[in-house]
Amino acid sequence: DWQPGTQLSQVNQSAGARPVKVGADLYDLMKYTLRISEKTEGAFDPTFNAFFGLYKFKANDQREASDDEIRERLPLIDWRNVVMNDQEKSIFLKSSGMKLGLGGLGQGYGVDKVVADLRKKYPAGYVDGSGDTYFWGKKPDGTLWTTGIRDPRDKDKVALRVYGTDFSITTSGDDEKFFMKDGRRVHHIIDTKTGRPATASRQVTVIAKRALDADAFDTGAFVLGPEKGKKIVESVGLRAVFIPDKGVTMTKGLAKKSTPWGEVYEVEGELKSFE
């Protein structure tokens, strides 16, 4: 969406004016994205991009959206105002100023594409797409993969470790893109109902059969928080670890196990894809 010639940018540029025909890949991905929005009750919303530029996190260029800016742009954020035409394969944004973004799941989508290619050539391995990671097969010694979930307030500390194979694991947290202002943590995961950084979680990690699902649901679950997010994640057959202000909570399907390298949580049961 930051490159003016792409199909996604053309959809954004035509907001409120006309629908834009797009390729099958983008169309199918956007339909999937809207299903995520519905399932998470709008906690994941691709129209968040109407807020582009209101928050900045670079060390020498930090800003927080003002109350007036939020009031002006909040009406533009509503996934239900994205019109998909299956016959024409077109996307239409109902209001001028609306803007789609795929930042909440684009990395996971890319990881799945790379993994599909590599699995044809290699019996085991992993792909790390800037934190969106997929593991398959077994290590050379026959053991499964172990990956750590970092403590969001201490980068040198591991909160817990996950053990298994043939899964993707991704994390959304308030500790990567943020700055402190008046004692508050201003971060990049926005609650689309308020226009302000979500506060129900510090960090959420989702484990799924596909990186696309893990990437999308970790964002939605982060905004929703442990109580509501846990129910939604479990309802679609995924696993998740929530780190709110205090403690750690997790979904069903993660069983504590002692190993020669310490305590881990093994992924149990069948991981499903969200269709």
Side-chain angles (χ1 to χ4, degrees), residues 202-273:
R202 287 184 177 180
Q203 182 174 284
V204 175
T205 298
V206 172
I207 303 149
K209 187 176 180 179
R210 301 186 303 186
L212 177 62
D213 296 332
D215 200 10
F217 276 100
D218 71 3
T219 306
F222 181 97
V223 174
L224 291 169
E227 185 177 347
K228 211 165 191 179
K230 184 178 175 181
K231 291 177 183 177
I232 288 177
V233 169
E234 287 182 338
S235 74
V236 295
L238 312 183
R239 315 287 186 268
V241 177
F242 293 81
I243 301 181
D245 286 340
K246 294 181 180 179
V248 176
T249 184
M250 61 189 72
T251 60
K252 296 178 291 187
L254 292 170
K256 189 184 294 186
K257 179 177 181 178
S258 295
T259 70
W261 50 91
E263 185 181 276
V264 300
Y265 284 83
E266 186 171 11
V267 180
E268 293 189 323
E270 181 187 2
L271 291 169
K272 299 179 181 178
S273 297

Side-chain angles (χ1 to χ4, degrees), residues 20-268:
V20 175
K21 290 185 179 182
V22 299
D25 284 349
L26 178 57
Y27 190 83
D28 292 343
L29 182 57
M30 187 53 61
K31 287 207 72 170
Y32 167 88
T33 302
L34 296 179
R35 290 197 297 273
I36 294 286
S37 298
E38 182 177 19
K39 187 65 180 178
T40 62
E41 301 173 10
F44 183 98
D45 191 327
T47 64
F48 76 92
N49 220 12
F51 268 68
F52 181 79
L54 297 190
Y55 289 91
K56 296 182 179 180
F57 299 95
K58 291 184 179 179
N60 59 347
D61 186 19
Q62 297 174 341
R63 84 182 304 273
E64 180 181 13
S66 69
D67 290 341
D68 287 343
E69 288 172 329
I70 290 174
R71 275 193 294 269
E72 179 184 357
R73 299 202 192 183
L74 206 54
L76 299 173
I77 299 178
D78 190 340
W79 62 274
R80 292 164 296 189
N81 288 333
V82 181
V83 180
M84 310 291 293
N85 185 314
D86 291 344
Q87 198 166 22
E88 296 289 330
K89 289 291 188 291
S90 67
I91 304 174
F92 175 58
L93 305 180
K94 286 185 177 180
S95 300
S96 176
M98 288 184 68
K99 189 177 182 183
L100 294 173
L102 295 173
L105 49 70
Q107 286 179 187
Y109 178 82
V111 166
D112 284 335
K113 294 293 186 183
V114 173
V115 168
D117 183 52
L118 292 178
R119 291 191 74 155
K120 298 173 185 175
K121 305 171 185 178
Y122 303 103
Y126 72 90
V127 171
D128 180 359
S130 187
D132 291 23
T133 310
Y134 189 95
F135 299 89
W136 77 95
K138 295 181 179 180
K139 292 187 285 186
D141 63 2
T143 59
L144 305 184
W145 300 94
T146 304
T147 181
I149 297 176
R150 193 180 68 196
D151 187 318
R153 293 296 180 267
D154 185 348
K155 293 190 176 185
D156 296 324
K157 182 180 178 182
V158 175
L160 59 85
R161 290 178 171 84
V162 176
Y163 179 73
T165 192
D166 297 320
F167 67 79
S168 174
I169 182 167
T170 76
T171 296
S172 280
D174 65 8
D175 60 325
E176 286 294 330
K177 292 171 66 175
F178 77 96
F179 58 87
M180 301 302 294
K181 182 178 180 182
D182 302 327
R184 295 179 296 109
R185 182 176 292 257
V186 181
H187 62 86
H188 74 294
I189 305 174
I190 303 301
D191 183 340
T192 54
K193 290 182 172 59
T194 66
R196 294 291 181 191
T199 59
S201 312
R202 287 184 177 180
Q203 182 174 284
V204 175
T205 298
V206 172
I207 303 149
K209 187 176 180 179
R210 301 186 303 186
L212 177 62
D213 296 332
D215 200 10
F217 276 100
D218 71 3
T219 306
F222 181 97
V223 174
L224 291 169
E227 185 177 347
K228 211 165 191 179
K230 184 178 175 181
K231 291 177 183 177
I232 288 177
V233 169
E234 287 182 338
S235 74
V236 295
L238 312 183
R239 315 287 186 268
V241 177
F242 293 81
I243 301 181
D245 286 340
K246 294 181 180 179
V248 176
T249 184
M250 61 189 72
T251 60
K252 296 178 291 187
L254 292 170
K256 189 184 294 186
K257 179 177 181 178
S258 295
T259 70
W261 50 91
E263 185 181 276
V264 300
Y265 284 83
E266 186 171 11
V267 180
E268 293 189 323

